[in-house]
């Protein structure tokens, strides 16, 4: 039996706010975001659907420097061309980077130093891996489990290891470290919830929480973001019956991420949302009304229930 939209989308996390979006809207319009000058963003996984949406959003917001990193340079060049057409004054750097490679992440940090004198305002880790959506641990390939953790967990760790020092050292920088997670991180059952992807994305989200615990008091903003359901490279492993539900624009996660990492983000926003698991689909005006509740109850974090 094919899944229903309700089965795919219904849980407490998805419905944390009642008003959900599929496209960018006025409150998160990147062209209205205030970014510092200079403002340098590094997008790891800077190609594909979400990568393109992220790059376009930062270009529209006026980022002065955009570093696009991924394994496929030709795909990155396509995104770089879009960025330059939107923001001709931006300096766009394309660099080959396997997210799970220690050497490549170290080289990425050296690229920031050489091309932008070490200036770095935001890092967005968008690289992701998913094997076939097989909800059976016996049937899932061990290689898919290993690859999921290499890209989805080791990748963000390496990005933090090499790039956090640059974020923290950038004077008056946005100091934002954002990982692109998945609604699957919050699930253990349901249609097409497969172990390798769900567990690795949950680990990514937990890693982001720990980064907040270690660096939040020093001014770092960090968050994990569900990017919505879009037609992307990862959708190639999805069963055909899932595709009609992939209706979210890649530009939505881009606009939401810029909204999170803009230089003039209100302190109340940064205080309430840092270290937490968020959805780009949530209406931010409604989300703002929940800041006190989020802080008082310490919501949107992974926890073990003991009573």
């Amino acid at each position: 039996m094919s899944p229903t939209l309700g089965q795919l989308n219904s849980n407490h996390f998805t419905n944390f706010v009642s008003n959900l979006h599929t496209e960018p809207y006025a409150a998160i319009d990147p062209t209205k975001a205030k970014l510092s000058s200079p403002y340098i963003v590094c997008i790891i996984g800077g190609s594909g659907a979400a990568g393109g949406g992220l790059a376009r959003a930062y270009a529209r917001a006026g980022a002065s420097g955009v570093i696009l990193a991924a394994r496929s340079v030709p795909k990155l060049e396509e995104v770089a061309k879009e960025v330059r057409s939107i923001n001709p004054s931006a300096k766009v750097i394309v660099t080959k980077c396997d997210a799970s490679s220690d050497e490549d992440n170290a080289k990425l940090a050296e690229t920031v130093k050489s091309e932008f004198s070490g200036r770095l305002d935001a890092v967005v880790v968008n690289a992701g891996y998913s094997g076939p959506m097989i909800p059976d641990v016996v049937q899932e390939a061990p290689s898919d489990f290993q690859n999921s953790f290499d890209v989805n967990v080791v990748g963000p760790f390496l990005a933090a290891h090499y790039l956090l020092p640059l974020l923290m050292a950038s004077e008056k920088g946005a100091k934002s470290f954002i990982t692109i997670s998945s609604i699957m991180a919050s699930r253990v059952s349901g249609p097409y919830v497969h172990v390798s992807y769900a567990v690795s994305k949950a680990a990514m989200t937990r890693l982001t929480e720990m980064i907040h615990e270690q660096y939040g008091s020093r001014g770092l903003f960090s968050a994990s973001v569900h990017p919505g359901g879009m037609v992307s490279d990862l959708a190639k492993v999805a069963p055909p019956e899932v595709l009609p539900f992939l209706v979210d624009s890649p530009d939505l996660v881009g606009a939401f991420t810029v909204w999170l990492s803009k230089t003039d983000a209100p302190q109340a926003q940064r205080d309430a949302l840092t270290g937490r698991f968020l959805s780009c689909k949530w209406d931010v005006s409604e989300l703002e009304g929940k800041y006190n509740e989020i802080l008082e109850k310490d919501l949107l974090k992974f926890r073990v229930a003991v009573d």
Side-chain angles (χ1 to χ4, degrees):
M1 181 180 296
S2 298
T4 66
L5 184 59
Q7 285 177 308
L8 289 174
N9 286 335
S10 179
N11 71 7
H12 292 305
F13 172 76
T14 305
N15 300 318
F16 184 66
V17 305
S18 59
N19 189 12
L20 304 178
H21 294 273
T22 61
E23 299 277 349
Y25 50 102
I28 58 171
D29 182 351
T31 64
K32 298 177 182 177
K34 180 180 178 181
L35 302 186
S36 60
S37 182
Y39 187 105
I40 313 302
V41 58
C42 178
I43 304 171
I44 302 173
S47 61
L54 289 161
R56 288 190 295 272
Y58 279 103
R60 289 169 180 144
S64 56
V66 180
I67 304 165
L68 300 172
R71 287 179 296 177
S72 173
V73 171
K75 290 182 179 180
L76 289 175
E77 292 289 3
E78 293 176 10
V79 177
K81 184 178 180 180
E82 278 193 279
V83 171
R84 295 184 182 109
S85 68
I86 294 169
N87 184 359
S89 66
K91 180 178 180 180
V92 185
I93 301 297
V94 167
T95 183
K96 181 178 175 60
C97 179
D98 180 339
S100 63
S101 166
D102 185 292
E103 181 180 4
D104 283 3
N105 278 275
K107 288 181 179 178
L108 184 56
E110 291 303 316
T111 297
V112 176
K113 293 176 184 177
S114 62
E115 296 289 346
F116 297 101
S117 301
R119 172 79 188 200
L120 191 58
D121 288 88
V123 174
V124 185
V125 185
N126 174 58
Y129 178 87
S130 172
M133 294 181 177
I134 303 172
D136 186 331
V137 68
V138 175
Q139 298 299 320
E140 277 198 74
S143 59
D144 284 329
F145 189 84
Q146 184 66 63
N147 289 336
S148 292
F149 268 78
D150 287 346
V151 176
N152 300 340
V153 185
V154 176
F157 167 81
L158 292 172
H161 178 77
Y162 286 107
L163 298 177
L164 276 183
L166 301 177
L167 282 175
M168 302 309 294
S170 295
E171 186 177 357
K172 297 182 180 179
K175 294 181 172 59
S176 296
F177 185 89
I178 296 171
T179 57
I180 303 302
S181 186
S182 168
I183 187 66
M184 292 298 182
S186 66
R187 294 178 173 173
V188 295
S189 64
Y192 312 116
V193 177
H194 51 307
V195 168
S196 59
Y197 190 68
V199 174
S200 62
K201 285 295 187 178
M204 170 197 279
T205 303
R206 189 64 159 168
L207 169 65
T208 308
E209 283 187 27
M210 294 186 72
I211 289 170
H212 161 69
E213 289 298 322
Q214 295 176 5
Y215 283 86
S217 62
R218 304 186 219 179
L220 181 74
F221 177 86
S222 57
S224 289
V225 175
H226 166 52
M230 67 190 77
V231 178
S232 66
D233 289 342
L234 294 185
K236 294 176 181 177
V237 301
E241 60 266 28
V242 173
L243 298 181
F245 301 122
L246 303 180
V247 297
D248 296 317
S249 167
D251 291 323
L252 178 62
V253 67
F256 184 81
T257 302
V258 168
W259 177 79
L260 288 176
S261 59
K262 61 186 180 180
T263 310
D264 66 342
Q267 192 60 44
Q269 174 184 315
R270 291 178 68 95
D271 290 345
L273 301 183
T274 188
R276 304 187 190 274
F277 183 32
L278 311 171
S279 172
C280 76
K281 293 176 63 62
W282 294 342
D283 182 81
V284 298
S285 296
E286 190 176 348
L287 184 60
E288 288 168 357
K290 289 180 172 283
Y291 286 171
N292 289 338
E293 180 185 2
I294 291 170
L295 290 169
E296 290 171 3
K297 298 180 180 179
D298 201 20
L299 302 178
L300 306 176
K301 291 185 177 181
F302 281 29
R303 291 292 181 264
V304 175
V306 294
D307 58 21

